C-alpha cells in the first residue's frame, strides 16, 4: 500500500513537472524578427509620418548577439545617408520589452515630440530613431516575469560581448557624421538591461588605443543610460581608467590630461561627459530586486571570495569587488558623483511656442553654464495616454495638460571621482521608478543634457561637436603626486 502511495506521488510530481515545463515552453516569446523586410515589404523595418520629419527604424538581435535580419541595418543606414541634417537617437530597450512592446510606442512618441519642436523644425533637422531590439521578454505567462531576471541579464551580457551590436552602433554613428552634413549629432540611449548592453558595448571603444601612442575617439557624441540594470564592475573599471588619465581643473572647468604634456586636444569640457548614468531614487528594480538576484547567483555559484579593488577618486581605498557586483552604478555609494538637486518652483521663460512639455523647449533654447534646467509637469504618467494598445498616431494633436508645475533643478557634483563619467541620482519627480524614463520631466532633463553637450554658439548656431579624444598614458611621477591621499 505504501509502495502504491509512493508510486502515485511520484507520478503526480512527474505530471506537475511536465505541465510546468509545457506552460513555460508554451509561454516563451518568439525570437522574431518582428519587423522583417521582405520582397513585398522591403521597408517594413522603417516607419514614420508622411511629412518625413522623423523616421524610426528597427534593428533586431537574437540572444547570442546575432542580427536577425541584416537588411534592417541597411534600411536604417539608407535613411541616415539621405538626411542632410540628421539628429540620430539610437535606443536599446530593457527588461520585459521587445520589438513589439509598448516601449516602441513610447520611443516613437519621444521622436515625434522632438521633431515637432520649433528649435528643430526651424533648423530643418531630420530626427532619426533606431530601436535596437532583443528578447528582453522571453516569458509571456503572467506572474513568471521575475524568473526571467537571470536569463535576460545573461542575454544582455552576451549581446554586449558580441561584435554585431557595437559594429551596428558605430556604423550608424559614422553615417550620421559623413562629409557634407553641416549638422549631425548622435545620441545613444539605453534603459535597464538595455543600459547594460549599451554600457558594456561602448565602454570598450571609449578609450581604445589608436596605434600611435594615443587614444581613438568615438563616432557617437553622447551616451545616456537610464536606470542601468548592470553590475557596477564595468563602470568602476571605466571610471578608474578615466581617473588614471584625467584630473579636474576648476579654473578651466574641464578634465585635463594627467600627463602634463600640453595635450590641449585631449582636454574634455566639464559639460561633455563620455557617459551619463541616470538613476531614479525610487527604482525598486535596480535598488532592491537586482541585489537579491545577483546575491542568489553568488550563492548558486558558491562565489564567496572576492578581491579588493581601488575606489575611483579615493586614493588608497580598496573595497570588495562584491560591492560592485551586487549594486548597479546608480545605487553604488562609491561611484555616484552627481545629484539632481531642487532649486525651487519657477516661472516659465518668455517666448515659448510649444504646447506639450514646454520645459523641453525651454531647456533646448538656452545654454546651461550652471548646469540648471527646468521641468514643467506633474510626474503623473499623463503621457501614457498617447500609446493605445501599443499603437501610436504621429502628429495627433496633444493639448497641454492645463496643470503645469514649473520647477528648476541642477546637476550638482557631490563627491567621488570627478571625471568625464557622471553617475547621477535623480528625484522621483523627474524619473518615477524603473520605467519612468519617457516621462515629460525626464525628457525635459534629457533636453538640458543635450544642450549642455552641444551648447549654442553666437547667433544661436550649433557647431558640429569636436571629437572627444582621450589623452595618452600619464606621466607616472605626476600621477603619483595627483593620487596622494
Amino acid at each position: 500500500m505504501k509502495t502504491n502511495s509512493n508510486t502515485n506521488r511520484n507520478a503526480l510530481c512527474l505530471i506537475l513537472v511536465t505541465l510546468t515545463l509545457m506552460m513555460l515552453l508554451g509561454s516563451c516569446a518568439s525570437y522574431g524578427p518582428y519587423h522583417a523586410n521582405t520582397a513585398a515589404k522591403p521597408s517594413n523595418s522603417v516607419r514614420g509620418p508622411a511629412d518625413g520629419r522623423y523616421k524610426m527604424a528597427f534593428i533586431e538581435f537574437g540572444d547570442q548577439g546575432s542580427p536577425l535580419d541584416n537588411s534592417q541595418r541597411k534600411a536604417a543606414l539608407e535613411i541616415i545617408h539621405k538626411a542632410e541634417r540628421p539628429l540620430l537617437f539610437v535606443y536599446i530597450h530593457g527588461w520585459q520589452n521587445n520589438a513589439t512592446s509598448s516601449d516602441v510606442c513610447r520611443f516613437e512618441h519621444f521622436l515625434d515630440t522632438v521633431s515637432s519642436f520649433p528649435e528643430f523644425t526651424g533648423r530643418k533637422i531630420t530626427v532619426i530613431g533606431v530601436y535596437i531590439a532583443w528578447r528582453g521578454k522571453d516569458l509571456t505567462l503572467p506572474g513568471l516575469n521575475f524568473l526571467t531576471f537571470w536569463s535576460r541579464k545573461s542575454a544582455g551580457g552576451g549581446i554586449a560581448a558580441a561584435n554585431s551590436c557595437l559594429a551596428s552602433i558605430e556604423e550608424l554613428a559614422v553615417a550620421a557624421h559623413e562629409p557634407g552634413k553641416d549638422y549631425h549629432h548622435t545620441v545613444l540611449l539605453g534603459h535597464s538591461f538595455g543600459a547594460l548592453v549599451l554600457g558594456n558595448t561602448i565602454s570598450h571603444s571609449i578609450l581604445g588605443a589608436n596605434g600611435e601612442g594615443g587614444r581613438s575617439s568615438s563616432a557617437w557624441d553622447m551616451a545616456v543610460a537610464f536606470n542601468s540594470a548592470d553590475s557596477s564592475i564595468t563602470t568602476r573599471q571605466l571610471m578608474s581608467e578615466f581617473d588614471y588619465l584625467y584630473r579636474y581643473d576648476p579654473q578651466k572647468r574641464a578634465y585635463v590630461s594627467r600627463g602634463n604634456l600640453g595635450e590641449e586636444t585631449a582636454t574634455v569640457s566639464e559639460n561633455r561627459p563620455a557617459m551619463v548614468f541616470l538613476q531614479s531614487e525610487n527604482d525598486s528594480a535596480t535598488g532592491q530586486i537586482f541585489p537579491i538576484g545577483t546575491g542568489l547567483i553568488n550563492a548558486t555559484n558558491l562565489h564567496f571570495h572576492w578581491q579588493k579593488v581601488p575606489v575611483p577618486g579615493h586614493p588608497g581605498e580598496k573595497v570588495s569587488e562584491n560591492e560592485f557586483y551586487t549594486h548597479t552604478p546608480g545605487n553604488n555609494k562609491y561611484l555616484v558623483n552627481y545629484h539632481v538637486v531642487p532649486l525651487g518652483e519657477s516661472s516659465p521663460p518668455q517666448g515659448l511656442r510649444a504646447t506639450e512639455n514646454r520645459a523641453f523647449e525651454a531647456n533646448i533654447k538656452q545654454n546651461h553654464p550652471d548646469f540648471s534646467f527646468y521641468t514643467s509637469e506633474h510626474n503623473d504618467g499623463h503621457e501614457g495616454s498617447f500609446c493605445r494598445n501599443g499603437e501610436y498616431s504621429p502628429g495627433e494633436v496633444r493639448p497641454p495638460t492645463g496643470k503645469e508645475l514649473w520647477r528648476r533643478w541642477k546637476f550638482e557634483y557631490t563627491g567621488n571621482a570627478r571625471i568625464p563619467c557622471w553617475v547621477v541620482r535623480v528625484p522621483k519627480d523627474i524619473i518615477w521608478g524603473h520605467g519612468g524614463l519617457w516621462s515629460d520631466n525626464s525628457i525635459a532633463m534629457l533636453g538640458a543634457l543635450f544642450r549642455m553637450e552641444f551648447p549654442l554658439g553666437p547667433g544661436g548656431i550649433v557647431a558640429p561637436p569636436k571629437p572627444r579624444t582621450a589623452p595618452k598614458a600619464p606621466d607616472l611621477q605626476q600621477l603619483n603626486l595627483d593620487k596622494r591621499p
Side-chain angles (χ1 to χ4, degrees):
M1 195 72 180
K2 196 175 207 178
T3 302
N4 289 339
S5 177
N6 287 338
T7 301
N8 291 339
R9 188 180 296 112
N10 291 337
L12 179 60
C13 287
L14 181 60
I15 292 171
L16 289 174
V17 169
T18 302
L19 288 173
T20 300
L21 288 172
M22 290 175 64
M23 288 173 64
L24 289 173
L25 291 172
S27 64
C28 286
S30 62
Y31 275 93
Y34 295 101
H35 304 277
N37 295 314
T38 63
K41 296 182 177 180
S43 299
N44 190 50
S45 64
V46 177
R47 67 172 66 167
D51 62 10
R53 70 178 179 279
Y54 77 83
K55 295 286 187 181
M56 185 174 76
F58 292 89
I59 301 179
E60 301 178 61
F61 291 89
D63 279 9
Q64 308 307 316
S66 299
L68 297 181
D69 180 356
N70 274 318
S71 71
Q72 291 179 330
R73 180 169 18 166
K74 182 175 181 292
L77 287 167
E78 284 178 354
I79 61 176
I80 297 171
H81 288 313
K82 291 178 182 177
E84 295 180 2
R85 296 167 62 80
L87 171 55
L88 172 63
F89 294 96
V90 180
Y91 170 64
I92 308 174
H93 68 74
W95 193 21
Q96 304 303 327
N97 286 297
N98 56 27
T100 62
S101 64
S102 59
D103 211 41
V104 174
C105 179
R106 297 187 185 101
F107 180 56
E108 186 169 3
H109 175 227
F110 164 72
L111 298 175
D112 190 9
T113 300
V114 173
S115 68
S116 300
F117 276 103
E119 281 297 303
F120 295 107
T121 57
R123 299 177 191 274
K124 298 182 179 179
I125 292 169
T126 301
V127 174
I128 300 171
V130 177
Y131 188 94
I132 292 186
W134 56 293
R135 209 164 58 129
K137 173 190 281 189
D138 64 348
L139 288 179
T140 58
L141 195 65
L144 295 179
N145 292 343
F146 178 78
L147 298 178
T148 68
F149 173 90
W150 298 274
S151 68
R152 294 307 87 199
K153 183 176 185 294
S154 176
I159 293 169
N163 296 316
S164 293
C165 188
L166 177 58
S168 297
I169 289 173
E170 291 193 333
E171 191 172 6
L172 294 169
V174 168
H177 288 216
E178 63 190 1
K181 298 184 188 296
D182 62 346
Y183 179 102
H184 52 76
H185 293 309
T186 298
V187 180
L188 310 183
L189 306 172
H191 171 236
S192 183
F193 285 152
L196 177 157
V197 176
L198 175 64
N200 284 275
T201 297
I202 67 172
S203 63
H204 299 297
S205 66
I206 289 176
L207 298 174
N210 64 11
E212 300 174 357
R215 308 277 177 160
S216 57
S217 60
S218 303
W220 40 268
D221 303 306
M222 178 180 174
V224 182
F226 292 86
N227 290 334
S228 175
D230 187 16
S231 79
S232 50
I233 285 181
T234 304
T235 306
R236 186 207 67 83
Q237 293 173 359
L238 177 63
M239 294 178 76
S240 291
E241 288 296 316
F242 278 128
D243 196 36
Y244 167 71
L245 293 170
Y246 292 101
R247 61 181 176 83
Y248 179 72
D249 186 329
Q251 272 67 50
K252 293 183 177 180
R253 294 193 64 182
Y255 313 103
V256 300
S257 169
R258 288 190 189 274
N260 199 27
L261 301 174
E263 292 183 87
E264 290 301 321
T265 57
T267 296
V268 177
S269 178
E270 184 180 17
N271 62 300
R272 292 203 66 204
M275 186 87 187
V276 178
F277 294 86
L278 299 175
Q279 176 64 56
S280 172
E281 291 178 343
N282 71 333
D283 175 13
S284 60
T286 61
Q288 285 84 47
I289 295 177
F290 187 91
I292 294 172
T294 50
L296 288 173
I297 292 175
N298 284 346
T300 303
N301 294 335
L302 301 179
H303 193 166
F304 304 114
H305 300 286
W306 299 83
Q307 72 179 96
K308 289 192 172 183
V309 292
V311 177
H314 294 261
E317 183 176 359
K318 292 186 176 182
V319 299
S320 169
E321 203 160 21
N322 184 47
E323 189 71 31
F324 300 97
Y325 181 76
T326 55
H327 292 84
T328 64
N331 290 292
N332 192 306
K333 63 182 180 181
Y334 297 104
L335 300 184
V336 173
N337 53 6
Y338 276 82
H339 280 73
V340 172
V341 297
L343 299 179
E345 293 190 14
S346 176
S347 299
Q350 299 295 314
L352 300 180
R353 292 177 287 173
T355 57
E356 181 189 2
N357 193 5
R358 296 200 298 156
F360 179 86
E361 182 186 4
N363 293 333
I364 287 291
K365 283 173 64 71
Q366 61 184 16
N367 291 330
H368 305 272
D370 62 349
F371 294 170
S372 68
F373 64 94
Y374 292 100
T375 60
S376 60
E377 300 293 341
H378 291 272
N379 198 3
D380 55 8
H382 59 269
E383 55 282 309
S385 62
F386 304 130
C387 293
R388 301 181 184 88
N389 299 319
E391 297 296 324
Y392 184 72
S393 300
E396 179 180 333
V397 176
R398 295 182 286 272
T401 59
K403 50 179 181 177
E404 287 185 338
L405 176 61
W406 281 86
R407 287 180 284 190
R408 289 181 66 245
W409 310 82
K410 182 179 181 179
F411 291 99
E412 186 172 277
Y413 171 72
T414 53
N416 290 330
R418 195 160 194 179
I419 53 176
C421 179
W422 292 8
V423 183
V424 188
R425 297 280 291 181
V426 181
K428 61 185 180 181
D429 307 87
I430 299 177
I431 301 178
W432 180 274
H434 189 62
L437 74 158
W438 298 123
S439 72
D440 279 351
N441 289 344
S442 178
I443 297 308
M445 178 178 62
L446 180 62
L449 279 171
F450 178 87
R451 185 53 71 221
M452 285 162 52
E453 288 258 2
F454 314 119
L456 298 168
I461 301 299
V462 182
K466 295 179 180 179
R468 187 189 291 104
T469 305
K472 300 175 184 178
D475 174 82
L476 291 180
Q477 184 176 2
Q478 182 64 47
L479 178 65
N480 290 333
L481 289 173
D482 290 342
K483 290 291 191 174
R484 282 181 179 173

